[in-house]
Amino acid sequence: MPHDTASGSQAIASLTCRSCATPLQGPFCHACGIKAPRLPLTLPGMWQDFTERVLHVEKSLKRTVGHLCWQPQVVFKAFMQGQRLRYTHPLPFLVAIATLCVLLSHFYGDAYFDAYRVKLLQQVRGSLSPARSALYAQLNLWLSLSMPYWMLVFTLPSAGLLRLLFPKQGFTVAEAWAVGLYGIAMAMLLDLVVSGLGQWAQMPMLRLQIITDAMLLLISIAYYLAWLGFKPWTLLRVVAACLFGFALMNQLQEMIIYRIAAWLPGLQ
Ligand SMILES: [Zn+2]
């Protein structure tokens, strides 16, 4: 067993994977899949390693967005058949777009959030004390800022419902969820543009929110139809699953926040 020096260059001599210690048969480890790094560590080597990874992620993201625009069923099929290089996995895909949305939402004007706060305070004016109403509004505002990440869970009940409503199709909940995640991610991407335009045109916040909700719903339905095929009876079941799933999560989210605001001890 060769012993390590500070430079780590022994790894090349021993030809075992640095990550899992399996003997190497080529530039990639056949056990854990990692590419054998060039050792010793040099600045150009570090840069090359970095760009290879980033470029791969970037290329796959761009391809996924592009193909989801024009031929979403190709992306769904490739992912469900186990292809993992060509397109970004739906979970990291949604997380990447959600991060972009959260970053960009910091550019929204204060007027947008003030209007939303007023609406929220009106909702609970009769039932909660002023301090608890303020908490209720604040929790909702935080949630709406992190809403893009919340969409990860938000899409799950609809996927489960679809599985129940299409017992003969034989797909899994995870497969339906993958389609839902791709759909919601693309809807959020489109919403960035629409919300940007709406803010610029000083559209009232409520109307903007209705447009956003409608887009999330319509694009989800469209993607499920692209996946399952367009038939009247399919359309009906897809619409039912999406409407019911989304409404359920909306209610759940409102109820949980209301309960927290009403229960939190130490508030008047
Ligand atoms: Zn390995």
Side-chain angles (χ1 to χ4, degrees):
M1 182 87 189
H3 75 96
D4 281 357
T5 61
S7 77
S9 52
Q10 284 288 353
I12 293 173
S14 63
L15 286 175
T16 56
C17 171
R18 270 312 227 168
S19 303
C20 74
T22 306
L24 285 178
Q25 295 174 352
F28 289 89
C29 170
H30 66 277
C32 72
I34 208 106
K35 190 180 179 189
R38 272 166 286 269
L39 294 175
L41 204 57
T42 59
L43 289 177
M46 253 179 106
W47 178 250
Q48 200 179 349
D49 202 22
F50 168 73
T51 47
E52 269 175 16
R53 279 163 202 237
V54 169
L55 281 182
H56 168 70
V57 170
E58 198 194 300
K59 254 179 154 172
S60 144
L61 265 175
K62 280 185 188 160
R63 187 186 296 129
T64 310
V65 169
H67 289 189
L68 279 175
C69 285
W70 310 119
Q71 40 184 1
Q73 63 281 15
V74 174
V75 181
F76 307 153
K77 203 173 156 197
F79 181 74
M80 284 171 207
Q81 287 177 346
Q83 226 192 88
R84 290 293 179 275
L85 271 176
R86 209 169 155 66
Y87 300 112
T88 311
H89 187 291
L91 284 170
F93 184 68
L94 181 71
V95 169
I97 289 178
T99 306
L100 186 70
C101 293
V102 168
L103 286 175
L104 289 179
S105 68
H106 289 286
F107 292 105
Y108 288 1
D110 285 339
Y112 178 85
F113 294 108
D114 288 344
Y116 189 35
R117 193 188 297 274
V118 168
K119 181 196 148 211
L120 288 163
L121 286 173
Q122 276 171 355
Q123 272 177 10
V124 290
R125 200 172 39 188
S127 56
L128 291 178
S129 71
R132 289 189 187 279
S133 302
L135 176 68
Y136 174 79
Q138 191 58 49
L139 287 175
N140 270 296
L141 280 167
W142 280 331
L143 185 70
S144 84
L145 278 176
S146 52
M147 186 58 93
Y149 296 113
W150 169 240
M151 287 300 164
L152 285 171
V153 200
F154 197 86
T155 40
L156 205 44
S158 297
L161 281 171
L162 274 175
R163 173 74 190 78
L164 288 177
L165 289 174
F166 290 90
K168 283 180 198 156
Q169 290 261 1
F171 56 79
T172 65
V173 176
E175 284 171 334
W177 192 33
V179 173
L181 288 170
Y182 278 132
I184 275 291
M186 288 303 281
M188 291 195 312
L189 203 58
L190 183 64
D191 184 51
L192 277 181
V193 182
V194 174
S195 287
L197 285 174
Q199 296 250 329
W200 173 74
Q202 296 186 327
M203 196 183 272
M205 198 272 314
L206 264 181
R207 195 177 307 160
L208 214 53
Q209 227 175 22
I210 292 172
I211 294 177
T212 298
D213 288 348
M215 267 192 331
L216 291 179
L217 189 67
L218 286 178
I219 293 182
S220 298
I221 292 171
Y223 272 35
Y224 277 127
L225 287 177
W227 176 47
L228 295 167
F230 190 90
K231 279 169 232 130
W233 184 224
T234 307
L235 171 73
L236 210 66
R237 285 181 282 178
V238 166
V239 169
C242 286
L243 265 181
F244 193 78
F246 286 12
L248 180 81
M249 289 311 270
N250 254 329
Q251 282 300 311
L252 203 66
Q253 153 201 338
E254 244 171 56
M255 194 193 75
I256 291 172
I257 291 182
Y258 183 87
R259 285 282 161 85
I260 292 175
W263 157 86
L264 202 77
L267 270 183
Q268 288 298 305

